[in-house]
Amino acid sequence: MRKAGVVLVIVFLMAAGCRESSDVHRRTQYLMGTVVTITVAGLAEEDASRAMSAAFEEIRRLEGVLTFFSEESDLGRINAAAGAREVLVSAETIEVLAEALRISDRSGGAFDATIGPLVSLWGFEVKDRFVPPKEEIERARTLVNWRNMSVDPNLRTVRLERKGMKVDLGGIAKGYAADRAAETLRKHGVSSAMVAVAGDIRAVGEKAPGVAWHVGIQHPREPGAVLGSLRIADRSVSTSGDYERYFIKDGIRYHHILNPATGRPAAASRSATVLAPTTILSDALSTAAFVLGPEKGIGLVQSFPGVEAVIVDREGRVHVTPGLAGKVEGLAS
Ligand code: ADP
Ligand code: MG
């Protein structure tokens, strides 16, 4: 009798274990210039697969609309018409640009989607990296100003006031794509999933009933190590750091998140992680908070309902919003 009980318990555990592993499905694709991983739980293989394919397809479609690297994309057409005329664009582009303008305004211009001329000048995409001459930084900087971009949601038009201006959505488009992919998954019957477009992550529901998704925050100076981790359900988290794309010259680290006020890589932080209700918001705010640094960055995120942050400052000290105090697991105090 007792023996049978033990056997039963073991079989039950095995079954539970099998079910856990067989209904968690994960796939990775290279999209938007980065690694996109989608995890779906609680569905049979075939249904999960169909949902993931549709979500990847949605990200691929958005990439075509929002990419900086094509003349035919909405963004390519907006940039080509700078200083000349307004351009008719898709509803998605209007949505992203309107949110970009809102965050530019709220962050006092620390986030600025018209950062394009500076991004091109610093050229973090090319192999031969060098620090641009001061005059060129100054010239590019005068073209960067979100106030010179007009977005008309009714007419669905966008206009850049000055010739040479360029919109770059590197600080917000991946987050938007994660939101849309999550929406696509839900439409396909998924209620438990995680979408990670590089460091822009959206959790759909919980991993399992009563079990939140577990997300690690990359340590900004120890590759492969985590600074701490967070539990999230139906929420987004984004990290902006100076360790992803950078070069070091004469002992100075030059990275891809630029301070529009100086035209140079922002120097106040090593990384900024933001939790928010949507990924478009966590993405844009992580870039803004990174540029602003711990004091102003924490102040900014606290002015948004339901938004929290973990900022590692230039000396490696960790700052968290009061709402997250004690909630970042494994964080050395
Ligand atoms: P990542 O792209 O590594 O996820 P971010 O979300 O912080 O990191 O975005 C950085 C990208 O955003 C840069 O590669 C550039 O395209 C763009 N960018 C750089 N500085 C700014 C800024 N101050 N405001 C808005 N976008 C920026
Ligand atoms: Mg960002």
Side-chain angles (χ1 to χ4, degrees):
M1 191 62 198
R2 250 165 83 190
K3 206 169 167 190
V6 170
V7 171
L8 261 177
V9 167
I10 291 170
V11 169
F12 175 76
L13 285 176
M14 279 170 63
C18 288
R19 196 171 58 221
E20 225 275 311
S21 59
S22 68
D23 75 358
V24 175
H25 311 279
R26 180 168 294 131
R27 274 213 241 146
T28 295
Q29 285 191 17
Y30 194 81
L31 290 166
M32 301 187 93
T34 194
V35 177
V36 181
T37 300
I38 301 182
T39 308
V40 167
L43 279 188
E45 165 93 60
E46 206 180 308
D47 298 328
S49 194
R50 199 174 304 127
M52 287 189 279
S53 296
F56 280 123
E57 204 37 55
E58 174 66 357
I59 297 176
R60 190 186 311 281
R61 187 184 72 78
L62 289 171
E63 180 180 12
V65 173
L66 300 173
T67 180
F68 187 73
F69 303 104
S70 152
E71 287 173 7
E72 280 95 61
S73 71
D74 277 4
L75 216 60
R77 291 184 306 111
I78 291 168
N79 291 341
R85 61 189 177 279
E86 65 268 8
V87 171
L88 185 65
V89 296
S90 63
E92 290 90 341
T93 301
I94 293 290
E95 194 180 343
V96 178
L97 289 179
E99 183 69 351
L101 286 181
R102 183 173 81 104
I103 303 305
S104 300
D105 188 20
R106 294 282 297 269
S107 68
F111 180 90
D112 192 329
T114 68
I115 197 83
L118 281 169
V119 173
S120 299
L121 179 65
W122 282 89
F124 289 95
E125 300 296 334
V126 294
K127 282 237 161 66
D128 274 334
R129 289 138 167 197
F130 61 93
V131 179
K134 264 200 184 107
E135 316 76 65
E136 288 191 35
I137 294 176
E138 277 316 298
R139 194 149 44 92
R141 202 171 66 82
T142 61
L143 290 168
V144 175
N145 189 346
W146 58 278
R147 292 178 195 276
N148 292 333
M149 171 164 73
S150 337
V151 174
D152 188 328
N154 297 318
L155 295 177
R156 272 196 10 221
T157 57
V158 180
R159 181 187 173 89
L160 299 177
E161 297 303 336
R162 292 183 57 191
K163 189 165 187 294
M165 282 182 75
K166 270 195 254 178
V167 174
D168 173 318
L169 297 176
I172 191 168
K174 292 196 286 294
Y176 180 66
D179 286 337
R180 297 298 298 254
E183 234 172 78
T184 304
L185 291 173
R186 280 208 183 276
K187 275 189 201 141
H188 281 76
V190 173
S191 55
S192 170
M194 183 145 85
V195 178
V197 184
D200 297 301
I201 297 168
R202 170 77 180 249
V204 175
E206 299 176 303
K207 186 175 184 192
V211 184
W213 293 96
H214 202 185
V215 179
I217 303 171
Q218 166 69 47
H219 192 295
R221 288 295 176 272
E222 291 170 26
V226 294
L227 180 79
S229 62
L230 297 162
R231 305 264 172 192
I232 56 169
D234 275 322
R235 246 180 143 195
S236 297
V237 57
S238 291
T239 298
S240 292
D242 66 2
Y243 51 84
E244 282 286 343
R245 280 193 283 148
Y246 68 94
F247 61 94
I248 292 183
K249 182 119 191 165
D250 302 328
I252 299 172
R253 179 186 289 254
Y254 297 95
H255 60 83
H256 73 303
I257 305 172
L258 303 168
N259 184 347
T262 62
R264 295 169 165 273
S269 320
R270 291 181 179 178
S271 75
T273 299
V274 171
L275 274 113
T278 63
T279 331
I280 190 172
L281 188 58
S282 59
D283 190 4
L285 284 179
S286 71
T287 306
F290 181 96
V291 172
L292 289 172
E295 289 82 22
K296 288 186 185 162
I298 296 280
L300 173 70
V301 302
Q302 284 192 270
S303 71
F304 288 82
V307 178
E308 306 288 347
V310 180
I311 300 179
V312 182
D313 70 19
R314 46 145 64 109
E315 262 97 43
R317 283 182 304 243
V318 182
H319 306 253
V320 300
T321 46
L324 265 193
K327 290 190 183 152
V328 186
E329 294 170 28
L331 188 68
S333 49

